[in-house]
Amino acid sequence: VCVRKQKVYDALIIGSGASGGMAAKELTERGFEVLVLEAGPPVNPARDFSQHTWPYQDMYRGFGPPDWKEQEQWMQDTASHYSRHFYIKDSEHPYTTDPGKPFMWVRARIVGGKTLHWGRLSWRFSDLDFKAASHDGFDVDWPVDYKEIAPYYDRAEEFIGVSGNRDGLAHQPDGNFLPPMNLTCGEQLLKKGSLKTGRPAIVSRVAMLTATKPHMKGRAKCHYCGNCGEGCDVGAMFNSVVSTLPIAEATGRMTLRPNSVVRHIIVDTDTGKAKGVAFVDRVSRQEFEAFGKVVIVAASTLESTRLLLNSKSRQHPNGLGNSSGALGHYLVDHFGGIGASGHFQVLAGRDPVNEDGKASGLFIPRFRNIDEKTKHPRFLRGYGFECGAGTPSFPWMAKGIPGFGSELKKQVRRHYTTPVYMTTRAAMLSRFENFVEIDPDGVVDAWGVPVLKVHIQHSDNEREMAKDAAETSEEILRAAGAEVTSTGGKLTAPGRIIHELGTARMGDDPKKAVLNKFNQVHDVKNVFVTDGAAFVNSANQNPTLTILALTMRACEYMVDEMKRGNL
Amino acid sequence: MFSMQKTGKGTPAAASRKIHSIGGVMRGREIRGTFEADGQKYQFSYAPTSSAVANRRLELTGTFSISPARGRARPPRTGVRATLSSTQGGLGNPPSVRPELLGLTGQTSDAEAADQKDATPGEAKAPAAEAAPATTAGLPVTEATGPTGFVGVLYLRLSPLDGRALGVPLDLSSVQLNARLAPTSDLERDLQWLLSGTVAAVYGERPDERAASGYLGEINRRLKG
């Protein structure tokens, strides 16, 4: 066994996705020397990104070999044959559920994590979300308010580049935007239809560049090819690999070690503080330890919580940071699967334009339970609609058009501009009984690390919301003049939207929460959890922008506390 | 480049040869898969020949074989027990059910049809699955939950195997087999449906020995071919 002199980094960062990458950037810029441990392999954009590969260049025309999607559950509607290597294999990374209560856990163990294929929608939360409990009496408020987070939203938007409009909606706050992307003709019609029903619709705010700024070195404007999920090789889409990690690396103070599967956090038995982590090399399976003054857990919501639960010690017998008993609890995911779709026949035969390929659309922000006037009698909180119209590069609607040969091609061309859809992104209530634990039956992953058992179900609040969303989406689509071909649907199983949040929630009371308002573990002052695990509730907006803002804020606090000698 | 220390926990060679968990897909009556260890790729198969419930756990008994990806097949080991530790709920296409198996649920076809009125075409109700959580009639349901739930992965603990006897330099003393059920044939669809029923009847909130016995009988009939 080769033992080198033990080095103590200023910070160990577990994970290199949105939060881990941002923590690396923020801390190295402030002089910290950090070690980033990423469980997955390194990424090489030239080799691993397939944004500009055409279906005919692939042996299976982009569909993959027969039955391959069935072999990994998460591939069903997430990965394409071009992006499958961004994701882990369930067969190596098990998790368990109770009979009849499934959970879909989509994981990307790779440098950059899920930022390589994320949806890019970048919405701020407002006090309707941070102070939701004060608004409707359910659960508790976040320990932060919008005013405290707003400066970090500003900085995050400025850094990653978010295109959007300033729309003046109090509950969907405006930000620091690049110019918005244009709406398609169908989206314009839908916007008008939504307004007719009294619901404003706005251009989606997406972390895709419509202009560049000096700090965005190596990144180019979006050219609307529409294949963002397969790896954006021009860097128009924000991800860790093109933005945060290169900046951290340029400081000379970041060491990035891929293939490092962290088993647990090592605690100093004298002080009870964290002193490092134990990890196994994913490929060689050799065991290592690394040491740091601070440990930042940013492995993604459930991986972070799994790590804390697996970090049991004499001082922390139920897992690190779990003296409250709240660790693992209050798991939420947005739900979708409910909505309406159809066609704008008035647009049939129009020529498509390059901007039709943009991978963004129209958003109808929350319109229920905002104030007394909009209070819904049967459910709390609310939902928004993600909408789009027209066809990106590949005409998926062709599957629904009958015929064959040249007549089929003619019809496909004719309908290129007509499809329209609306799908729900809805809040799920944070409930204690939705939780994760270390599998009590001893199931482990390929490296022998105990896995999670996930217990989560929707309640009638979500089902009532889904019913309302189904009816409302149809109403809006009809008001817009669309021919409606499909309505309703089923709520997506928890996890499918890939917005799993909570399980190590923030809160001022250490008896009820895992983290304080700066993402710092109440029980162990030199451990921070900066990803979605920290969320108190899901709101209905996509979470990544809030994760980035909270990470920036946590890092600033961490540096100050380090200077004061408090860590 | 890095500064960290290797731990003294076991030799690196031993660590890399310890097999914790391997994944495969059920094809026909077998679970087949590959895994990598110590720089080598291995193929394996587990072919259950019988099933039973012991100590409130589903237990399969069958034949396990393993070989390097490019090597000669080694003599398999028979009588290998695979005890179901836990499961992962399935999503996507649920297993379809043959009419002749419906009797195992203890319901008439009419009742079954009525219960399935909310299911989409081709989405069979899993036998004896957990009841759906209390809902108000007419509300949308969550995909693949309650009566439409089914098993996607079985996590099976294999009885200790001797790697040397199987001709491979691996520590197989405590292997977990992750068996994905992704049926592509009628036999596989039947087995997924029956195994889903067994899991609900044995591991669910309301255990049902009679139902479990019925499913096991049908599973055994199919495993014997």
Side-chain angles (χ1 to χ4, degrees):
Chain A
V1 175
C2 158
V3 180
R4 293 184 205 169
K5 189 173 172 232
Q6 177 179 321
K7 173 168 180 165
V8 179
Y9 290 88
D10 292 321
L12 303 178
I13 301 172
I14 304 164
S16 64
S19 181
M22 182 58 83
K25 170 193 166 292
E26 292 288 298
L27 294 177
T28 53
E29 284 181 331
R30 288 170 166 81
F32 270 42
E33 192 169 353
V34 307
L35 171 65
V36 179
L37 295 168
E38 166 54 52
V43 66
N44 174 352
R47 178 195 61 202
D48 300 327
F49 289 5
S50 303
Q51 184 183 28
H52 296 116
T53 305
W54 289 97
Y56 56 76
Q57 289 176 284
D58 181 75
M59 181 174 175
Y60 297 102
R61 305 294 185 262
F63 288 99
D67 305 325
W68 72 273
K69 281 212 167 205
E70 301 301 324
Q71 294 180 26
E72 297 288 346
Q73 186 150 281
W74 51 261
M75 287 189 189
Q76 285 169 8
D77 59 2
T78 303
S80 75
H81 191 224
Y82 303 118
S83 60
R84 59 192 297 189
H85 51 285
F86 293 167
Y87 303 80
I88 55 90
K89 292 180 182 170
D90 273 355
S91 49
E92 287 183 340
H93 303 79
Y95 62 96
T96 66
T97 59
D98 286 318
K101 299 167 189 173
F103 178 78
M104 181 179 274
W105 192 7
V106 180
R107 290 158 289 173
R109 281 188 170 187
I110 187 168
V111 170
K114 284 182 281 194
T115 65
L116 296 183
H117 56 81
W118 70 303
R120 307 165 304 285
L121 285 162
S122 300
W123 305 106
R124 294 183 178 207
F125 284 18
S126 73
D127 275 338
L128 190 61
D129 311 304
F130 291 127
K131 301 298 171 192
S134 296
H135 189 72
D136 60 26
F138 182 83
D139 198 25
V140 295
D141 287 337
W142 290 58
V144 296
D145 62 21
Y146 179 70
K147 220 161 77 181
E148 287 174 84
I149 305 300
Y152 301 93
Y153 276 138
D154 286 344
R155 282 184 49 213
E157 286 160 346
E158 170 70 14
F159 176 74
I160 70 175
V162 176
S163 70
N165 249 335
R166 295 181 67 84
D167 298 293
L169 298 171
H171 64 288
Q172 189 54 79
D174 291 332
N176 184 6
F177 301 136
L178 299 172
M181 291 190 177
N182 291 326
L183 295 176
T184 63
C185 294
E187 288 158 0
Q188 295 279 10
L189 292 176
L190 187 59
K191 183 178 175 175
K192 283 182 191 159
S194 189
L195 267 176
K196 268 194 222 168
T197 70
R199 300 170 182 109
I202 62 179
V203 177
S204 289
R205 298 170 186 171
V206 284
M208 293 154 77
L209 303 185
T210 50
T212 56
K213 295 185 175 181
H215 71 269
M216 297 168 178
K217 290 190 182 99
R219 301 182 63 191
K221 286 199 290 185
C222 178
H223 55 281
Y224 307 113
C225 74
N227 294 325
C228 315
E230 278 141 26
C232 178
D233 57 17
V234 300
M237 154 188 171
F238 165 76
N239 62 55
S240 300
V241 175
V242 297
S243 52
T244 48
L245 293 174
I247 289 176
E249 187 162 35
T251 65
R253 289 187 281 272
M254 177 184 75
T255 301
L256 171 63
R257 191 187 195 282
N259 296 321
S260 306
V261 180
V262 178
R263 289 187 182 280
H264 60 265
I265 295 169
I266 305 166
V267 171
D268 185 312
T269 49
D270 295 330
T271 63
K273 289 200 323 191
K275 64 173 186 180
V277 299
F279 66 96
V280 55
D281 186 283
R282 189 182 68 91
V283 181
S284 73
R285 303 197 182 215
Q286 288 183 33
E287 303 282 344
F288 293 89
E289 289 176 347
F291 301 93
K293 294 173 191 163
V294 175
V295 177
I296 296 152
V297 186
S300 80
T301 293
L302 292 183
E303 286 292 7
S304 290
T305 295
R306 177 186 174 200
L307 177 59
L308 296 177
L309 287 168
N310 272 329
S311 299
K312 288 182 184 170
S313 61
R314 187 170 51 79
Q315 291 95 335
H316 309 285
N318 300 316
L320 195 148
N322 197 18
S323 65
S324 64
L327 183 63
H329 292 268
Y330 304 102
L331 172 64
V332 288
D333 179 38
H334 292 142
F335 73 82
I338 303 288
S341 60
H343 289 271
F344 285 118
Q345 293 299 356
V346 292
L347 299 176
R350 293 210 172 203
D351 287 334
V353 295
N354 186 52
E355 282 77 359
D356 290 344
K358 73 187 165 69
S360 74
L362 185 75
F363 186 64
I364 300 174
R366 176 174 162 183
F367 47 86
R368 298 285 191 218
N369 297 321
I370 295 168
D371 49 31
E372 273 307 306
K373 265 197 331 210
T374 57
K375 199 166 175 182
H376 197 280
R378 291 195 306 276
F379 62 85
L380 304 174
R381 312 287 159 94
Y383 60 89
F385 286 117
E386 287 182 8
C387 316
T391 305
S393 57
F394 192 81
W396 294 105
M397 81 300 186
K399 285 191 286 188
I401 296 177
F404 59 90
S406 60
E407 187 52 32
L408 173 66
K409 287 181 188 167
K410 216 183 283 175
Q411 287 304 317
V412 170
R413 238 177 237 288
R414 184 172 158 71
H415 287 89
Y416 226 83
T417 47
T418 67
V420 56
Y421 72 87
M422 300 173 63
T423 186
T424 309
R425 283 295 173 272
M428 181 177 182
L429 292 182
S430 303
R431 292 183 292 131
F432 186 82
E433 59 267 33
N434 286 331
F435 71 104
V436 295
E437 61 179 337
I438 297 302
D439 183 86
D441 294 304
V443 175
V444 295
D445 67 15
W447 299 271
V449 183
V451 307
L452 289 180
K453 182 160 195 169
V454 184
H455 307 264
I456 185 168
Q457 281 184 290
H458 289 131
S459 69
D460 272 352
N461 196 74
E462 286 85 46
R463 286 185 276 270
E464 289 283 6
M465 205 185 287
K467 182 171 186 274
D468 184 65
E471 291 164 359
T472 308
S473 56
E474 184 174 354
E475 179 198 350
I476 292 173
L477 220 50
R478 291 198 189 284
E483 172 192 79
V484 178
T485 56
S486 162
T487 60
K490 288 184 175 183
L491 289 83
T492 49
R496 194 184 276 277
I497 300 300
I498 327 180
H499 290 170
E500 63 272 16
L501 298 163
T503 67
R505 58 169 31 186
M506 289 177 158
D508 289 329
D509 185 352
K511 291 196 179 92
K512 292 180 179 166
V514 178
L515 310 175
N516 71 12
K517 64 192 286 186
F518 294 104
N519 297 70
Q520 183 179 30
V521 174
H522 279 299
D523 299 346
V524 187
K525 298 292 177 205
N526 66 339
V527 177
F528 291 75
V529 181
T530 53
D531 55 28
F535 280 41
V536 177
N537 61 39
S538 68
N540 68 280
Q541 300 94 320
N542 303 52
T544 304
L545 183 68
T546 301
I547 291 172
L548 292 169
L550 290 174
T551 303
M552 287 175 146
R553 183 167 173 273
C555 289
E556 200 174 273
Y557 172 80
M558 209 179 297
V559 171
D560 288 347
E561 287 292 280
M562 187 80 102
K563 280 182 192 157
R564 291 190 197 109
N566 290 341
L567 295 180
Chain B
M1 184 179 178
F2 309 112
S3 184
M4 60 207 77
Q5 69 181 36
K6 289 179 187 174
T7 64
K9 288 176 192 165
T11 63
S16 65
R17 287 176 191 154
K18 166 86 180 154
I19 304 305
H20 297 282
S21 133
I22 57 177
V25 180
M26 179 173 276
R27 285 291 168 257
R29 293 176 181 84
E30 290 182 2
I31 298 152
R32 293 182 208 146
T34 59
F35 66 93
E36 284 179 41
D38 206 15
Q40 269 263 40
K41 197 165 185 178
Y42 295 89
Q43 292 175 332
F44 73 87
S45 79
Y46 178 65
T49 50
S50 68
S51 67
V53 171
N55 301 319
R56 292 203 59 205
R57 299 257 166 199
L58 172 65
E59 202 171 274
L60 306 174
T61 305
T63 303
F64 185 84
S65 65
I66 188 168
S67 61
R70 290 166 189 235
R72 196 164 52 86
R74 307 299 170 113
R77 167 90 190 273
T78 56
V80 175
R81 268 182 294 111
T83 307
L84 184 66
S85 300
S86 197
T87 59
Q88 184 183 315
L91 287 165
N93 297 325
S96 53
V97 55
R98 291 170 194 252
E100 61 265 32
L101 290 177
L102 284 176
L104 291 171
T105 64
Q107 296 171 346
T108 64
S109 292
D110 285 347
E112 190 70 24
D115 281 354
Q116 289 188 22
K117 64 182 184 298
D118 290 333
T120 51
E123 184 175 56
K125 182 179 163 185
E130 291 302 311
T135 59
T136 311
L139 295 181
V141 296
T142 304
E143 61 167 329
T145 55
T148 58
F150 60 98
V151 171
V153 186
L154 301 169
Y155 296 109
L156 300 153
R157 175 68 54 187
L158 298 181
S159 52
L161 295 163
D162 182 348
R164 279 175 304 177
L166 283 160
V168 291
L170 303 171
D171 176 355
L172 304 175
S173 58
S174 179
V175 175
Q176 173 189 297
L177 171 57
N178 313 327
R180 174 110 178 98
L181 307 178
T184 54
S185 68
D186 284 346
L187 172 64
E188 292 162 15
R189 274 184 278 275
D190 282 1
L191 284 171
Q192 184 178 26
W193 192 83
L194 291 162
L195 286 163
S196 297
T198 310
V199 166
V202 177
Y203 296 75
E205 282 166 4
R206 284 190 293 277
D208 183 342
E209 277 182 37
R210 206 169 136 236
S213 162
Y215 300 130
L216 290 173
E218 288 296 324
I219 290 170
N220 286 333
R221 208 159 62 79
R222 280 160 181 77
L223 292 181
K224 286 188 169 56

